[in-house]
Structure formats: structure tokens, C-alpha cells
Amino acid sequence: MFFIDTIELEGLGNRSYLAGGTQTAVAVDPPRDVDQVLAAAARRGVRISHVVETHIHNDYVTGGLELARVTGASYLVPAGARVSFTRVPATDGDTVTVDGDLELRAVATPGHTPHHTSYVLQDQGQPVAAFTGGSLLIGTVGRPDLVEPRLTEDLARAQHASAHRLAAELPDETSVLPTHGFGSFCSSAQAEGDATTIGKEKAVNAALTTDVDSFVAQLLADLDAVPAYYTYMGPANAAGPAPVDLTPPAVADADEIASRLAAGEWVVDLRNRVAFAEGHVAGSFNFEADGKIATYLAWMIPWGKLVTLLAESAEQLAAAQRELVRVGIDRPAAAATGTPQDWTGEGDTLASFPRSTFAGLAERGTDGIVVLDVRRDSERAAGHIEGSVHIPIHQLHKRLGEVPAGTVWVHCAGGMRAGIAASLLDASGRAVVAVDDGFDAAEAAGLTVVTG
């Protein structure tokens, strides 16, 4: 008997796993906030005997070292990874006993990184699941361009070979359990569906249905922007991340919030974009706690800059802290909970801006205004509003001066990124309207959408 529990990291678009038998278990690619992995083990009534990493992660700070420390587990890291801490080097073909007849076998699958290693879970010698990390994903593979530009093409070819190795060595019914592919920018494309097997991937995955040259050409052509904070994740993981501190930050009153804004620090309002547009502290930015706060705040904030969080509740604040420590934003400088009225001084006026839809934009007409598209390059190429200005959201805070004069109607694909962009523009003193709508409504509203 064995079990496999999935630990979803929705904000980052990743998954971690706990797999084991009746007594002991292995944790695969654990997040930095290890308490949820420990809770999963407690629910199963098992001891974590092994912690394994498929690779040195580029998109989040691992909890592997800390989890191994607090549990006394063996910490397996691919032998080719250069790290500054003591670990058990995992090499191709190595096996460890997880529980009884349950074993884990290391399989070298370079491509996402040169040292990438998958782990096959074997029950009584038979493969039942493969933890494929950033190698074989659901319908795609992990991107090969996050290590070193000169290695990208070679790693893309290695991804093709690694996928074929897994397909050749494992039975069709073997579950494929990747870490990336559920929204992570470590994936070369996003997953279609929630679960897969080796057999299913043989039928649909381009790495297994396309010759290597065609696969590599298409993979490299489809690569999208890389979040800026990825630069810091690999070194942090190789050095050995420190334990996290999730205790509440120091409380900031209205005067301190004003002082921090005046000092050029980032004050981030975690409320939903509708509430923010209706009223907020002038100069604050809106990164919704229910959105991809870790990805977009870490992508956009100058690394190391102090951040103060404003939340509706202690629960919302705690959830945001948890998301942020996963990407190395360890401690907010301060925080406050409540409403915008609680965060401003007596007599201060709240800032606000209007929201609309693509139908509202079509009714207004685009003459005399700026239509700003903050989607990524690949999204824009698939279709954009004629005459619109394009600055991807992750570049906007550095390029505000490039936005033409006039009232700015800002849009993205669904509304979340437009809300972030509108808050940046509003804080800089621009007149802005946030288009809170799905882009597929643009053409239906009568706006001219062009491609290229």
C-alpha cells in the first residue's frame, strides 16, 4: 500500500508531493513554508525519511534543507548541482527505500537544468509514478533557458532526449507528477488538464510526437518573458535558504504609512481590484492577495526594496506573507489591517479611479485617449487593439515615462494585471481607467483587433 498526496502552490503554479507507505514517506520539491508538508505527514501518521529535489529551482525558494533539518530526513539533491550545504548526492540509477517495498529511483533527465533528476516511485519493483519536476510536464516540458543563454539550445535537445528516456523506460500507466506546469513561468507552456500518464503523454506531448529539430525550433520560438526575481532564486537555493519567519509584521499607523510612501518605499494594498479602485491610500499599489501576488510583486519590485502590506484582515495578511516568503521576500517592513480610512490621516482624501469594460471603451471611442496593453509579447502578437500602446506589466514601473499624455485606458487579458497597472499609473499622477474585462470581449464590443 502506498499514497501520494499533492500539495498545491497555486500562486506560483507549482506542485509539491508527499509519497509513502504506512510508516515513512518522501517529500518531493517542498515549498519554503514547510509547515504544510509536516501537516500532510501528520495527517497520514508517517515520518518523513527522505526529502528530494529534482533540481535547483529558479522560480521559488525551496524548503528542502529546512524540512530535512527539522525531520532528520536524508536530503537528496542531484549530484551535478553545485550547493554550499551537506546533502546526499543523487546520481542516475540510485535507489532509496521509502517504506517497505516502496522505493525511489533516480533518473537523470537533463534539460530544464543540466543536473535535473526525476524520481520514479516503485512499488514491489514496479514503477507507479514519476516525479518529473521540470522535465516531462503535462503536455509540454520545462523551459530550457533559465540557466545560461549559451546552453539553451543544448538543454532543449536534452529535454527531448529525457522525455524519450522516460517514455521508453516506464509503463504507459505510470503517473507523471511534475512540479511545474500549472501556471509557473518555469514551464514552456501551461498544462492542459490536471493529471496525466506516460501513455497519455506519448500521444500528445510535442517532445514525444515531434522530431528533435522541429521540437527544439518550436520550443525556442515559444519562450516567453522570464520573471526578474528568478535571478535570485537559484543562488538562494544553492546557498541553502534560511528558515522562514511567518509571525505578523510590525503594525504601521497612518503616519508611518505616509512616511514610508514619502521615503519611496512600496506600500502594497492586498484588497481586490474593485475595492482598491473605489478608494485607496494615494500612492499605494494594488497587488491582489487572491491573484498571483508572489509572481508579479516579486517580478516588479526593485529587489531588496522595503514593502509595507495593507490588508483587509489578519488572515489576508498572513496568506500574502506565506506567498511572498516562497519567492524570497522574507519580512514586510510593516503592515496594517482594516480599511483605507484606517490607513490615512484625518482630513486626507482617498484616491480612486474608474473601471470599465471593452464595451465601455468601444462606446467611448479611442480618439483622444491612450489605450495601454500590459499583456506579454506573446499575448499581444495573437491579437491586439489597433493603435494601442504596448508595455508589458512587468516593465511598466520602469517605463511610466513612455506612456503618452492623456487619460489612459489600461487592459490586460482578464483584469488583474490591468488593476496593478492602473494603480501604478494612478500613483504616478496619471488619469486612468482600468478595463476589467476579458480580452475576448474586445472584438465583440466593436473594437478593431489586429494580429502581429
Side-chain angles (χ1 to χ4, degrees):
M1 294 290 293
F2 68 91
F3 71 87
I4 301 175
D5 289 342
T6 301
I7 299 170
E8 295 278 359
L9 303 173
E10 293 183 5
L12 292 177
N14 285 328
R15 288 178 175 177
S16 179
Y17 302 93
L18 183 73
T22 59
Q23 301 293 322
T24 51
V26 57
V28 181
D29 288 343
R32 194 176 183 198
D33 48 326
V34 299
D35 56 338
Q36 59 182 321
V37 185
L38 294 170
R43 287 192 294 269
R44 287 286 186 177
V46 296
R47 177 178 62 87
I48 297 175
S49 60
H50 295 82
V51 178
V52 303
E53 303 282 7
T54 56
H55 60 294
I56 299 299
H57 303 284
N58 289 291
D59 63 331
Y60 68 93
V61 181
T62 181
L65 184 63
E66 176 66 4
L67 184 60
R69 185 188 68 81
V70 299
T71 61
S74 296
Y75 189 27
L76 277 65
V77 178
R82 297 180 180 179
V83 297
S84 301
F85 50 83
T86 301
R87 92 293 197 200
V88 177
T91 58
D92 188 52
D94 286 352
T95 61
V96 296
T97 298
V98 177
D99 188 291
D101 292 329
L102 199 63
E103 291 184 327
L104 203 66
R105 175 168 60 90
V107 180
T109 48
H112 186 48
T113 66
H115 61 262
H116 191 283
T117 301
S118 298
Y119 299 90
V120 176
L121 189 67
Q122 300 177 159
D123 185 26
Q124 299 184 46
Q126 295 302 309
V128 292
F131 301 106
T132 55
S135 182
L136 186 65
L137 312 185
I138 299 180
T140 185
V141 295
R143 58 193 300 168
D145 61 325
L146 301 179
V147 178
E148 157 62 53
R150 291 171 295 182
L151 297 178
T152 296
E153 183 172 345
D154 287 344
L155 288 176
R157 292 181 179 277
Q159 278 290 49
H160 189 271
S162 292
H164 279 265
R165 180 183 180 185
L166 291 170
E169 292 186 6
L170 300 176
D172 283 357
E173 62 271 18
T174 307
S175 295
V176 175
L177 302 175
T179 300
H180 304 314
F182 310 95
S184 168
F185 282 87
C186 270
S187 175
S188 59
Q190 296 315 308
E192 294 288 341
D194 197 50
T196 193
T197 63
I198 289 292
K200 290 179 181 178
E201 292 307 305
K202 285 181 178 179
V204 301
N205 197 306
L208 298 173
T209 60
T210 311
D211 69 87
V212 63
D213 290 334
S214 300
F215 167 77
V216 169
Q218 190 61 55
L219 179 64
L220 299 186
D222 290 344
L223 291 174
D224 215 329
V226 178
Y229 71 91
Y230 278 26
T231 300
Y232 306 97
M233 299 298 96
N237 287 324
V244 298
D245 178 3
L246 291 174
T247 58
V251 177
D253 60 15
D255 288 342
E256 182 175 352
I257 292 169
S259 295
R260 291 187 177 278
L261 282 168
E265 297 178 15
W266 279 37
V267 174
V268 171
D269 190 326
L270 302 170
R271 296 174 303 141
N272 72 67
R273 57 186 181 266
V274 176
F276 183 89
E278 290 175 350
H280 55 271
V281 178
S284 62
F285 303 146
N286 182 216
F287 290 80
E288 292 179 296
D290 292 336
K292 295 177 73 69
I293 179 175
T295 295
Y296 284 103
L297 179 55
W299 196 340
M300 295 171 65
I301 191 170
W303 199 252
K305 198 172 189 67
L306 295 178
V307 60
T308 293
L309 301 179
L310 308 179
E312 288 179 321
S313 65
E315 292 76 18
Q316 186 181 65
L317 174 60
Q321 274 188 263
R322 184 175 289 272
E323 289 280 341
L324 293 176
V325 297
R326 293 172 180 165
V327 292
I329 301 177
D330 284 9
R331 293 290 295 167
T337 57
T339 68
Q341 289 78 12
D342 301 319
W343 307 328
T344 51
E346 186 175 348
D348 290 342
T349 301
L350 296 180
S352 64
F353 52 79
R355 298 165 53 251
S356 190
T357 62
F358 285 109
L361 176 58
E363 183 178 353
R364 159 62 178 79
T366 57
D367 291 342
I369 63 169
V370 180
V371 178
L372 177 63
D373 180 349
V374 295
R375 297 174 301 157
R376 296 187 300 277
D377 292 345
S378 59
E379 296 173 284
R380 182 171 174 84
H384 60 271
I385 295 171
E386 188 175 39
S388 61
V389 176
H390 181 227
I391 303 177
I393 184 64
H394 58 276
Q395 299 176 8
L396 181 61
H397 64 299
K398 295 180 179 179
R399 299 175 59 187
L400 287 168
E402 298 178 30
V403 181
T407 299
V408 184
W409 286 59
V410 59
H411 79 85
C412 60
M416 182 194 74
R417 287 173 291 175
I420 296 173
S423 75
L424 296 175
L425 289 159
D426 175 73
S428 72
R430 298 297 300 270
V432 63
V433 179
V435 179
D436 196 349
D437 202 358
F439 186 73
D440 55 1
E443 193 164 23
L447 295 164
T448 302
V449 174
V450 295
T451 59

